Amino acid sequence: MATYNKGILGAFSGKVGPVVGATWRGKDVMRSLPKKGNRLPTESQQVQRKKFTMTTEFISGIQPVVKRYFGRDNGNKTRRNQAMSYLMKEAIVFNDPDYEWDFSKILISKGDLLGIDNGQVVAGAGQSIDLSWSNNSDQGEALASDKLVVVVYEPTLKATVYSLNASTRSSESVTLELPNYLADLKVQVWATFAAEDDALVATSHYLGSVTLG
């Protein structure tokens, strides 16, 4: 891959002869066209592709969450990149004959703010869930006004519902109404806290699974 300054022809994107022009992290770059190969992927490559596909599908449903709250932008590694890397390495397990999520290992956010204390979730009336937690706003940098961020995931439909401001730390409980299409299904729930200005965020907690009414 080569970078280039805008010359007489200027920057370009797409295929031109044996090269492809594109913009990558603010720079104009040229790449040679990849050579076609007949090699079959190794078992290790197949595993990585499977994990990559699973993780991409999951993260696509919570993009606004991970882009705001998963670690810090660090040079060339974005928050989304960090989330992809963590989930692929830590949250996918092999359960013969296939790979699946270990929901308890999934994180939707990562940071240094004080997280949820005594978080719990139970089924509410209809297609709703009731969340509760202890108000620990007198500890560390935690504030009563910190926002509750919630992610709900149903694996058979691969359906995701999230809220970036479901409640506040001091409220200690909230009821979230979920879509009717999730009726009678088991959903997985994670929650975290973020400062009002999003400057700080806690590492998320897995609250468990709930079968909706």
Side-chain angles (χ1 to χ4, degrees), residues 3-59:
T3 62
Y4 62 98
N5 296 320
K6 294 180 174 64
I8 188 171
L9 298 178
F12 72 93
S13 63
K15 177 183 174 184
V16 178
V19 298
V20 176
T23 300
W24 180 74
R25 295 196 171 106
K27 297 180 180 180
D28 297 318
V29 300
M30 290 186 293
R31 300 184 179 93
S32 60
L33 288 173
K35 296 180 180 179
K36 294 182 179 180
N38 296 320
R39 292 183 180 179
L40 294 174
T42 65
E43 184 177 350
S44 176
Q45 289 172 329
Q46 292 181 51
V47 168
Q48 286 303 106
R49 290 176 186 179
K50 173 67 174 178
K51 289 183 176 182
F52 183 85
T53 299
M54 288 176 62
T55 305
T56 300
E57 287 177 345
F58 181 75
I59 284 184

Side-chain angles (χ1 to χ4, degrees):
M1 179 177 72
T3 62
Y4 62 98
N5 296 320
K6 294 180 174 64
I8 188 171
L9 298 178
F12 72 93
S13 63
K15 177 183 174 184
V16 178
V19 298
V20 176
T23 300
W24 180 74
R25 295 196 171 106
K27 297 180 180 180
D28 297 318
V29 300
M30 290 186 293
R31 300 184 179 93
S32 60
L33 288 173
K35 296 180 180 179
K36 294 182 179 180
N38 296 320
R39 292 183 180 179
L40 294 174
T42 65
E43 184 177 350
S44 176
Q45 289 172 329
Q46 292 181 51
V47 168
Q48 286 303 106
R49 290 176 186 179
K50 173 67 174 178
K51 289 183 176 182
F52 183 85
T53 299
M54 288 176 62
T55 305
T56 300
E57 287 177 345
F58 181 75
I59 284 184
S60 67
I62 56 169
Q63 289 268 25
V65 180
V66 297
K67 283 185 175 181
R68 282 177 173 85
Y69 302 130
F70 207 99
R72 298 178 181 273
D73 281 325
N74 182 17
N76 291 332
K77 201 163 188 181
T78 65
R79 289 183 171 95
R80 187 181 188 280
N81 292 150
Q82 294 170 58
M84 286 284 296
S85 178
Y86 170 82
L87 292 172
M88 287 179 65
K89 290 178 181 177
E90 305 295 339
I92 298 176
V93 295
F94 182 68
N95 187 6
D96 198 10
D98 208 350
Y99 285 84
E100 62 183 32
W101 289 109
D102 180 345
F103 295 116
S104 68
K105 297 287 184 65
I106 286 178
L107 296 180
I108 62 164
S109 68
K110 201 171 184 182
D112 299 325
L113 186 64
L114 188 65
I116 289 179
D117 180 29
N118 194 31
Q120 298 181 45
V121 60
V122 296
Q127 283 75 62
S128 70
I129 55 174
D130 296 330
L131 293 88
S132 62
W133 59 92
S134 298
N135 179 11
N136 54 359
S137 58
D138 58 343
Q139 302 175 33
E141 296 182 89
L143 299 176
S145 59
D146 290 340
K147 302 179 295 184
L148 180 72
V149 179
V150 181
V151 167
V152 179
Y153 178 68
E154 199 291 305
T156 60
L157 298 177
K158 296 181 181 178
T160 306
V161 180
Y162 64 85
S163 173
L164 298 177
N165 193 358
S167 187
T168 60
R169 191 187 293 265
S170 62
S171 296
E172 297 193 323
S173 66
V174 68
T175 296
L176 293 183
E177 297 291 337
L178 299 177
N180 290 335
Y181 62 77
L182 295 177
D184 302 321
L185 297 177
K186 180 187 286 188
V187 297
Q188 312 294 326
V189 185
W190 299 265
T192 190
F193 283 120
E196 259 189 307
D197 60 0
D198 288 342
L200 294 172
V201 64
T203 296
S204 61
H205 284 242
Y206 173 60
L207 300 185
S209 62
V210 175
T211 300
L212 301 177

